Amino acid sequence: MITNRSVSLFSKAQAVIPGGVNSPVRACRSVGCDPLFIQKASGCIVTDVDGNEFIDFVSSWGPMIAGHAQPEVVDAIQQAAVNGTSFGAPTSVEVELAELVCECVPSIEKVRFVNSGTEATMSAVRLARGYTGKNMVVKFDGCYHGHSDSFLVKAGSGLITLGIPGSPGVPDDIVKNTLSIPYNDKEVLERTLRDENLDIACVIVEPVAGNMGVVVPDMSFVKKLRELTTELGIVLIFDEVITGFRLSLGGAQERFGITPDLTCLGKIIGGGLPVGAYGGKAEIMDNIAPDGPVYQAGTLSGNPLAMSAGLAMLQLVRKPDFYKDLEQKSDWFAAELQQIADAAAVPTVLNRIGSMMTCFFTDEPVTDFESAMKANTEMYGKHYRNMLEGGMWLAPSQFEATFISAAHDRIHLEKALNMIESSFKKLMN
Ligand code: KE4
C-alpha cells in the first residue's frame, strides 16, 4: 500500500501538532503503526491522501450512522453556509433541532446545545452539583465522559477508587470529589450510594459502555442504579454521546425503558459537525443561566451550520425502518462474525448491541473494566494491521467500538467478514 503522502503529512504534522494529531487515539500508537491521513469519505468508504480506499467501521467514532457525505446533510450545511456561518445570536434552526431532540427523547424536556460531548457532560455535572448543592460525582471504571478534569480519574481496581488523577495537570482537589467504581457491580454500587459520608450529587454512566470496548450492562444493574438514585435523591445522568440516536431513536434509555434525570448527547446529533447537548427535566434544566444560577456558555453553541447538519442527520435516522434495517444488518454481521470466531483458533469475545460492537481478543467474558483490560492488545494490533492491509478501517484501539452504518451494504460486510477470517488465520500462524 502506497502511503507516501500520509508519511510526509504525518512528519509535518508532528512538527506543529502534539503527536501530529488533534486527538490522541488517532495517532494509532496502540496498534503499532502511523496514522493515515484521510482525503475524503462517502457512504461507508474512506479514501486516504494516497488514494487508498477502506471500508469504514470507525464512523468518525460514531456520528456517521447514515454514512459519510450524505447528500441531505451536505446540502443542509451548504445552504446554511451561504447565509453566514455564525451570528452569536439565536436562530430558528437551533429551535427546530431542540424540539426534535425533545420529541425523540421524551426524558428531555429542555436541552442546551454545546460544542462537544465533553462540554455536555462537564455542564451536566455542574448542573447536578448546582441543583443538589452536593459535590460528589460517581462514575464507573472504564467509562469515558470526555476530558474535563472531574472525569480524568484513574480507573479503579475492584474497590471504590477515591479520585486519583488520571492525568498530570488535574489537581487532587478536583478529583477528590469523583469516585470511580466497577461497572456492572450492584453490590459496590449500593454500598457507595448509601454511604452517608458521601454527599453525592450525581451518578454519570454510559448506559452501554463504548470506551472500554463495548460492554452491555446487566439490566439488573441499570434498574438498581435508577432505583437507588431515585430513592436517594441523586441525579442520574446518562451519557448517551455514543448511544444517543445510535441504539434507537430514543437511545439506550428507550431501548432499556429506563428514564434518567439528565442525558448527554453528541456525535450523531451534529451530523459530523461539532455538537454536544445536555438536557432533561425542566425542573433541573431551569437552573441553567440565564434562567438559573448555574453558569454555562459558548461562543459557537447552537452554531447554524452544526444545527443544520444535525437536523438533516436526525431527519435521516427518523425515516421508517432506519433502525430496523440497521438492526437486521448488524444482527446478520455479528452472527457471521461469531461463526468465524468460533471456527478460528484465536480466542475472541464479541460484545454487541445494535450496530455497535467490539471483538475482544480474550477467552473470558468482558463485563467490566477489569475483564476488558485482560484483552490481548498486541493481537488486536496485528489484527488491525491485517485489516488495514485488506482495505478495512477499524478503530485503532481494542477499547473502542466498531460501528455498522446504514451505508454498509451486504457486499461491504461480506468483504469485511472474509478479511476478518483471513486475519484470524494469520494471527494463529
Ligand atoms: P467529545 O468531547 O470527544 O465530543 O465527547 C466526549 C465523549 C463523551 N462521552 C462518551 C460516551 C464518549 O464516547 C465521548 C468521546 N468518545 C471518543 C471515542 N470513544 C472520542 C474519540 C476521541 O477521543 O478522539
Side-chain angles (χ1 to χ4, degrees):
M1 179 162 53
I2 306 290
T3 60
N4 303 0
R5 290 187 179 190
S6 276
V7 169
S8 163
L9 273 170
F10 190 43
S11 169
K12 286 165 69 176
Q14 286 173 298
V16 287
I17 302 172
V21 292
N22 282 305
S23 198
V25 70
R26 303 179 196 169
C28 298
R29 295 276 172 91
S30 73
V31 289
C33 55
D34 288 339
L36 298 178
F37 283 60
I38 296 301
Q39 177 74 35
K40 62 180 179 179
S42 176
C44 68
I45 303 297
V46 294
T47 306
D48 74 10
V49 292
D50 292 287
N52 301 303
E53 289 190 351
F54 304 89
I55 299 176
D56 176 27
F57 291 93
V58 181
S59 274
S60 179
W61 305 98
M64 298 298 139
I65 190 170
H68 291 281
Q70 291 303 295
E72 297 87 345
V73 176
V74 174
D75 291 349
I77 297 168
Q78 288 173 331
Q79 287 175 34
V82 296
N83 292 325
T85 52
S86 177
F87 315 118
T91 64
S92 62
V93 67
E94 63 200 278
V95 179
E96 268 186 270
L97 185 56
E99 288 174 337
L100 185 52
V101 166
C102 293
E103 181 189 329
C104 296
V105 190
S107 71
I108 298 180
E109 295 172 345
K110 286 192 176 178
V111 62
R112 171 61 66 84
F113 292 113
V114 291
N115 299 283
S116 69
T118 294
E119 264 197 275
T121 55
M122 174 178 73
S123 308
V125 162
R126 182 183 307 135
L127 172 57
R129 285 171 160 155
Y131 173 69
T132 61
K134 300 178 178 179
N135 293 324
M136 199 69 80
V137 176
V138 174
K139 69 175 290 292
F140 296 91
D141 299 347
C143 286
Y144 174 72
H145 305 291
H147 64 88
S148 68
D149 284 351
S150 295
F151 301 130
L152 292 183
V153 171
K154 194 164 287 183
S157 57
L159 301 174
I160 293 175
T161 304
L162 273 174
I164 304 167
S167 163
V170 179
D172 294 351
D173 276 357
I174 296 280
V175 292
K176 72 171 187 288
N177 284 314
T178 304
L179 290 182
S180 188
I181 60 177
Y183 194 74
N184 248 340
D185 186 325
K186 292 193 291 289
E187 287 68 38
V188 172
L189 173 68
E190 179 143 22
R191 194 164 68 238
T192 305
L193 298 196
R194 290 194 184 285
D195 184 335
E196 290 171 358
N197 298 316
L198 302 173
D199 66 329
I200 300 171
C202 61
V203 176
I204 185 166
V205 66
E206 289 184 64
V208 171
N211 288 287
M212 53 177 129
V214 173
V215 175
V216 184
D218 296 329
M219 277 307 99
S220 61
F221 169 76
V222 185
K223 288 190 176 98
K224 173 63 81 175
L225 178 55
R226 178 65 282 181
E227 286 163 10
L228 284 168
T229 47
T230 301
E231 177 197 336
L232 299 166
I234 295 170
V235 175
L236 177 56
I237 304 173
F238 269 15
D239 177 350
E240 295 223 42
V241 168
I242 289 181
T243 56
F245 295 95
R246 166 64 60 179
L247 295 185
S248 76
L249 200 56
Q253 57 194 272
E254 176 186 290
R255 199 164 174 133
F256 296 164
I258 301 280
T259 301
D261 301 309
L262 294 177
T263 298
C264 300
L265 297 169
K267 297 183 191 275
I268 291 170
I269 65 163
L273 268 64
V275 177
Y278 64 101
K281 291 176 180 170
E283 173 203 343
I284 302 177
M285 291 301 290
D286 287 345
N287 286 273
I288 286 286
D291 278 348
V294 180
Y295 195 69
Q296 178 267 312
T299 303
L300 296 174
S301 296
N303 171 272
L305 272 65
M307 296 291 101
S308 302
L311 194 57
M313 175 63 89
L314 296 199
Q315 282 157 350
L316 279 179
V317 301
R318 286 182 80 213
K319 283 183 178 172
D321 295 339
F322 180 89
Y323 288 101
K324 175 169 162 285
D325 294 347
L326 190 56
E327 194 79 21
Q328 284 174 349
K329 191 179 337 187
S330 303
D331 284 347
W332 172 81
F333 181 77
E336 294 291 311
L337 173 49
Q338 191 60 63
Q339 278 188 19
I340 292 168
D342 293 344
V346 62
T348 55
V349 163
L350 180 63
N351 283 1
R352 176 186 82 94
I353 180 168
S355 58
M356 61 189 281
M357 63 192 83
T358 297
C359 184
F360 290 93
F361 285 88
T362 183
D363 52 10
E364 60 180 77
V366 177
T367 58
D368 59 12
F369 180 66
E370 195 175 347
S371 49
M373 288 301 113
K374 292 177 181 169
N376 184 332
T377 52
E378 190 182 335
M379 189 168 276
Y380 181 83
K382 289 176 183 166
H383 177 61
Y384 174 87
R385 298 193 296 276
N386 290 341
M387 294 294 278
L388 197 65
E389 280 296 328
M392 302 297 147
W393 189 262
L394 300 189
S397 162
Q398 166 73 95
F399 307 114
E400 293 289 353
T402 291
F403 295 106
I404 306 285
S405 80
H408 285 93
D409 293 334
R410 190 74 170 246
I411 191 167
H412 301 120
L413 297 177
E414 283 170 347
K415 276 185 183 173
L417 290 164
N418 292 335
M419 202 44 63
I420 291 167
E421 190 167 24
S422 161
S423 172
F424 282 2
K425 284 178 182 156
K426 281 184 193 168
L427 292 177
M428 297 319 291
N429 291 338

